[in-house]
Amino acid sequence: MVRRFAFPQLKPGTYAVEVSAPQFQPQRRSAVPASLGHTQTVNFTLRIEAIRGDVIVTAEAPLVDTQNPNTSSTLSARALEDLPNRAAT
């Protein structure tokens, strides 16, 4: 993003220019000369501040008991019919 600013009432001299924006680290340039009738370009690259956020982890009981190999399920005929069947497509 490029921003341009004009300061026509600025007295000739040496200035410090600082930029800042929300979520970015402020940047500063010292010893920027300003003189009558001249355009001065000062480039900045703003770096993103450290991202802060909360992560909430919750755990639920697993659907499969991986410790017991003797787990079994009984399916009805309707449940079997509703299972995806790759051969049917």
Side-chain angles (χ1 to χ4, degrees):
M1 176 185 313
V2 175
R3 301 279 185 177
R4 291 185 169 92
F5 299 94
F7 302 99
Q9 303 300 320
L10 192 66
K11 294 181 182 180
T14 302
Y15 292 87
V17 179
E18 184 172 327
V19 296
S20 63
Q23 310 296 322
F24 292 92
Q25 296 174 354
Q27 299 288 316
R28 181 182 174 95
R29 300 284 187 278
S30 300
V32 177
S35 58
L36 293 175
H38 289 91
T39 300
Q40 181 66 34
T41 301
V42 182
N43 294 315
F44 291 91
T45 301
L46 295 180
R47 293 183 174 86
I48 297 174
E49 278 188 323
I51 297 174
R52 297 180 192 128
D54 295 328
V55 177
I56 299 171
V57 178
T58 58
E60 295 180 13
L63 298 176
V64 177
D65 183 3
T66 59
Q67 302 300 317
N68 183 358
N70 296 324
T71 302
S72 64
S73 296
T74 302
L75 299 176
S76 66
R78 179 68 186 169
L80 286 173
E81 288 174 8
D82 289 342
L83 289 174
N85 184 355
R86 296 183 83 176
T89 57

